[in-house]
Amino acid sequence: MAEMTANGYELAANRKPIRPGLILTWTVLLVGGLLMITPLLYMFSTSLKSAGQVYDLRLIPLAPSFDNYVKVLSDGRFMRWFLNSALVATTVTLSNVFFDSLVGYTLAKFEFRGRYFIFLAILSTLMIPTEMLVIPWYLMSSQLGWLDSYWGIMFPGMMTAFGTFLMKQFFETVPDDFLEAARIDGLNEFEIWWKVAMPLVMPAISALAIFTFLGNWTAFFWPLIVTTSKELYTLPVGLSSFAVEQSIQWELIMTGAALATIPTLLVFLVLQRFIVRGVMLAGLKG
Amino acid sequence: MATIELQGLVKAYNKTTAVHGIDLTINDGEFVVFVGPSGCGKSTTLRMIAGLEDITAGTLSIAGAVVNDMAPKQRNIAMVFQNYAIYPHMSVGKNIGFGLYTSKLSATEKGQRILETAKILGLEDLLDRRPSELSGGQRQRVAIGRAMVRDPVAFLFDEPLSNLDAQLRAQMRIEIKRLHQRLGTTIVYVTHDQIEAMTMADKIVVMRDGRILQVGTPTDLYENPVDVFTARFIGSPSMNLLTGEIAGGKLSVNQTVAAGLDATAFAEGPISVGVRPHDLLVGAPTHAGFEIAGTVTAVEPLGSETLVHLDIAGAEAIATAPGKLLPRVGSTVSATAQPGALYLFDAQTEQALGRL
């Protein structure tokens, strides 16, 4: 008994006092977290409600059912838009990973005249807002016959200044010894980039892939402008048409939105471990 | 296996010249160590041999063929880097096998070669591990394995041991030396550590400011350095340098005349006198050589011997005493050197004049 009491005192003595700053931090984080998660919860909640219950704001539906999911998934248009979005986002992501890395690597690891100027030129395009670019993109698509086509949706994002900048900065952290060792082992410059440098910047590639995929999966403005036929709509454009066509069917829009989050979650789950894992320095003595 | 010849090799970066036209022949199977302080051009020379730096002027031949314009892979040389440069995303086996990237061997033959190499280096149980799971010494061995596996004409080592702790460095020194004896392949090795140079080399190349100062065997360099720089660079602790004078055929240092030494062969006037710490003895019986008194400023007992730091009229010097003798700091002791232990250098040009 005495021992227990002693332990009790010890525990109480070891417990850190709760600082007011900490309470404030947690409160701010909690409020922020709730603000973030509430729309998501309502999205899932509404997707389980019938049309009549949509404006009933309780979080847990009275009679939850998956009818909306069945309705949306059996509607051919939804699947088409879903696949369009998947195709566009995947292609643009792969293209960015390939070209941004290639240009970033070249700018980071090769000495040539005009290298700095080229980098600045690429970087300066970051200062031009998308809204300003839409008209030239549209004119270009129109003149080249790319309007209302997959290529038309994808071409502006196939390579980005941000991605190039991100990859260049990461490739600069790859020690030259790795590349020189590969050069001596007989790899050509393309192989060195692909087989040695790229695996060493996996965290950056993953980050770039997640950003690009999310950006393109949720892209609305440009796909809306460039597409006219419904078969070419991407998911956000298609879902918005639910709201315009008939009276707004919130339960269907929310079901579509809930389904639309699945691929982004998957991409994040698959790639996040590469971001967390820092493999770079394991082969070098720091 | 091949002879490597450097003729008038120059490396210039814009306005700076890193290597000023060096000439050197590295014989087949020789272990040559380039040694010198940072920025002396030793690594640049090695990188030119590897093909990682363009050659500004001069010719570089490997096995009789000029290779100035050949890519690294065409030179069939292998290189081990200071930072190991083993690929963290590949297993040990794959890392070693990477050396065979361009080889036309079948997968089975490659596997055999990797295993043989791993066995030589004691890595056979680690083939599936990632570099992050290895110790520093094991990583260095993997880097050597990748170089060894393809049977190159020469190995180039760029300060391979400088990241290891002292104990491991000593162990790896012996391992690399054994490897050389076993394989008999030409090795060009760059280090700033003169102990590595002395213990491993068949031939040492001392460089300074992009020029070769002296080429010779370790004993050659130790016994007959061409100038003060080489004399002080080779040997540990460094050679002591005292200011002296030759007058009337006798050498005097700090007003003490070395009566027993005949210096008539040397020109009269001021002179620099070098004596190695292991030749300058405290507590040894006096003899007809050189004797000088100094104040003890510090004592370093090493067990088998004691290093005694002396102040000889303002100049610092290190002498050696037997292990059990520990002179008191502040006391005045007499240090002696045998005839022939003194190295004389021109006071102005610092060039060697001979031994006394």
Side-chain angles (χ1 to χ4, degrees), chain B residues 275-348:
Chain B
V275 57
R276 294 204 180 273
H278 288 105
D279 291 332
L280 188 64
L281 307 172
V282 171
T286 49
H287 44 66
F290 171 74
E291 184 167 359
I292 197 154
T295 313
V296 179
T297 57
V299 175
E300 290 182 274
L302 301 176
S304 61
E305 61 187 20
T306 302
L307 295 179
V308 185
H309 291 250
L310 299 174
D311 177 358
I312 302 174
E316 277 182 32
I318 302 175
T320 314
K324 285 171 188 155
L325 186 72
L326 295 172
R328 197 168 43 81
V329 172
S331 63
T332 303
V333 295
S334 169
T336 59
Q338 297 263 17
L342 301 185
Y343 297 71
L344 302 189
F345 301 97
D346 188 293
Q348 254 82 53

Side-chain angles (χ1 to χ4, degrees), chain A residues 62 81 85-86 154 176 194 247 285:
Chain A
L62 277 178
W81 297 335
S85 273
M154 293 188 295
D176 288 340
W194 183 246
S247 60
K285 172 79 181 183

Side-chain angles (χ1 to χ4, degrees), chain B residues 244-257:
Chain B
E245 193 173 13
I246 293 182
K250 292 288 170 200
L251 170 71
S252 62
V253 176
N254 189 27
Q255 277 114 42
T256 313
V257 180

Side-chain angles (χ1 to χ4, degrees), chain A residues 178 180 191 195 282 284, chain B residues 47 83 86 89 101 139 150:
Chain A
F178 282 131
E180 290 180 343
E191 288 171 321
K195 296 199 167 169
L284 281 175
Chain B
R47 290 169 59 81
N83 289 328
I86 49 174
H89 55 289
Y101 188 79
R139 287 182 201 181
R150 66 187 153 105

